[in-house]
Amino acid sequence: MSESGAQARTAEGEPALRRSLGFRDLVVYGLLFIAPMAPVGVFGTLDAKSHGAVALVYVVATVAMAFTAFSYAQMVRVVPQAGSVFAYARAGLGNGAGFVAGWMAMLDYVLIPAVAYLFSGVAMNALVPEVSRWVWTALAVVVTTLLNLWGVRAAARVGFLVLAMEVVVLVVFVASALVVLARDGTERDWLSPLTGDGSQGAFALSAVLGAVSVAVLSYLGFDAIASFAEEVTGGSAKIARALLFCLALAGVLFIAQTYLVALLEPVSSARLAAEPGRQGSAFYDTLDASVGTWLHDLVAVSKAIGAAFAALAGQAAAGRLLFAMGRDRRLPRVLSRTSDGVPRVALLCAAVVTLVAAVWAARHDDGMDQLVSVVDVGALTAFTLLHASVVGWFAVKRRDGPVIWWRHVLAPAAGAAITIAVIVEASGTAQVVGAVWLVVGLAVLAVLAVLAVQGSRRAVPPPP
């Protein structure tokens, strides 16, 4: 199909997306959105909260998020649609729950890219202070939006190069850390990243679990893989494999880098807890003290570029979510328009919202904190409805043969318990914003229901 603007369509006449993605492309999108060095910004916070057992925190967080990945893998097999959690909750729980899941997921898919764009703008402003950070932020939005409009395959190719750069930087970091450890030894005990550094007393499981509620946020984005279900070649089983592989690989990378940094960390977890101002830069401060500022700068540049392309992956996922909700008439129908199999209208709408949010935050000193507080609860609420949809589809509706209780009930129930626990541990601001967004969504849902009833009445001919 040409770039003339004609729409690809399914056999039922609905707008369709073009299938062009392979397994590698899916993993690239997932890892770009997560970012291979995601723990950099939260290392100090996790180290302080967990009493030094920061690597153990990521072990537990990886296992916890595996329940969510498992539920995604089950649902994408039976509902291989672009709407991801919107489509799954709709199939397993009904239209109303599907709308709520998609509505809450929008906080994640639309605003997490804004956070990433802002991070990129701040980093570039630090390197080139003559250009305001909001200008860098806006430039990152424009460049990555053009790539997404070009097509999912082209964006994946460029994203692969950026991801390769991030992996190379990570390898350099690991090699440098190992050289320093072999030459100078450790600042903490070899087992301390798993058992705690002892500066805040004996090992405390409650401290580790409290830190897990923060660490799971490092994984937000791997689920974006599911939103490309209608663009993958070779069937939905490839999506399921990519989800599980991406989560496992991210877990290994997170555990390895936090373990090494914790060994090199010269500041105790007790001091980090007592001086919160040191937590945000703890990772970089450790690199400065142990390896040198050159590695600090290399990681900072990598994070600046990587953040923009994490936003690219998030924007692409947001476009697919808006496309699916528009196609299902849960949002304006125009969002379902495609050109050459690319949902360009939905992508542009997602880009505009993201641009406004990111530039607004870039022009305010507390903009980053404000954005971060908003997105987390949306994603976790959507995850909870995802787990419920597994139970609804397989155990209640029994749409896929006999019920396998551990797979269709126990595992998703455990996953829902984890996501609910993280929501409970979230900040008060995040909970309030999430609740307000949910109320607005329910109001929109009620309006849609009223309009649907009125439409059905008009469609019924009067009696003779």
Side-chain angles (χ1 to χ4, degrees), residues 68-381:
T68 296
F70 187 57
S71 288
Y72 266 110
Q74 292 192 84
M75 291 307 296
V76 74
R77 182 173 60 84
V78 295
V79 189
Q81 296 179 13
S84 184
V85 68
F86 160 71
Y88 308 152
R90 178 171 171 266
L93 303 174
N95 289 334
F99 175 83
V100 171
W103 182 263
M104 297 306 292
M106 274 197 281
L107 281 178
D108 176 18
Y109 286 169
V110 175
L111 293 184
I112 277 186
V115 174
Y117 284 129
L118 177 55
F119 188 95
S120 180
V122 170
M124 290 303 298
N125 174 251
L127 296 173
V128 187
E130 293 81 10
V131 180
S132 299
R133 62 181 182 178
W134 74 265
V135 175
W136 286 117
T137 300
L139 181 62
V141 175
V142 171
V143 170
T144 53
T145 299
L146 290 175
L147 283 171
N148 271 327
L149 293 175
W150 189 3
V152 68
R153 180 64 177 162
R157 287 171 178 162
V158 178
F160 176 76
L161 297 177
V162 174
L163 182 62
M165 174 207 69
E166 293 186 88
V167 171
V168 168
V169 172
L170 180 57
V171 170
V172 170
F173 156 72
V174 170
S176 301
L178 291 175
V179 168
V180 172
L181 289 170
R183 184 188 64 203
D184 302 328
T186 66
E187 292 287 343
R188 299 182 183 177
D189 183 77
W190 283 99
L191 291 178
S192 64
L194 299 172
T195 62
D197 65 351
S199 65
Q200 299 184 66
F203 173 81
L205 181 60
S206 60
V208 172
L209 295 179
V212 167
S213 67
V214 177
V216 296
L217 303 179
S218 297
Y219 297 85
L220 294 186
F222 82 94
D223 54 294
I225 293 173
S227 65
F228 299 104
E230 295 182 31
E231 294 163 276
V232 65
T233 59
S236 57
K238 191 176 292 185
I239 293 275
R241 290 199 305 272
L243 276 163
L244 296 171
F245 176 80
C246 191
L247 177 65
L249 180 57
V252 170
L253 295 177
F254 293 171
I255 293 165
Q257 63 192 274
T258 53
Y259 178 85
L260 291 173
V261 176
L263 293 178
L264 296 171
E265 172 62 87
V267 179
S268 69
S269 66
R271 186 174 176 186
L272 286 174
E275 302 176 23
R278 301 176 66 101
Q279 294 176 13
S281 62
F283 193 105
Y284 291 113
D285 292 342
T286 300
L287 294 186
D288 281 345
S290 60
V291 181
T293 56
W294 67 270
L295 185 56
H296 173 162
D297 295 341
L298 182 63
V299 170
V301 171
S302 172
K303 288 289 291 180
I305 298 173
F309 281 83
L312 175 144
Q315 186 192 89
R320 273 69 186 172
L321 175 61
L322 296 178
F323 162 83
M325 294 183 74
R327 184 173 61 183
D328 194 51
R329 295 174 174 81
R330 301 281 92 181
L331 289 176
R333 180 73 169 173
V334 68
L335 293 171
S336 67
R337 289 190 59 83
T338 62
S339 176
D340 196 31
V342 179
R344 291 196 170 99
V345 175
L347 282 169
L348 283 172
C349 287
V352 168
V353 174
T354 300
L355 176 63
V356 171
V359 171
W360 172 85
R363 295 176 67 88
H364 292 77
D365 292 336
D366 62 345
M368 180 73 79
D369 292 337
Q370 294 290 335
L371 280 182
V372 170
S373 69
V374 171
V375 299
D376 300 340
V377 170
L380 295 166
T381 304

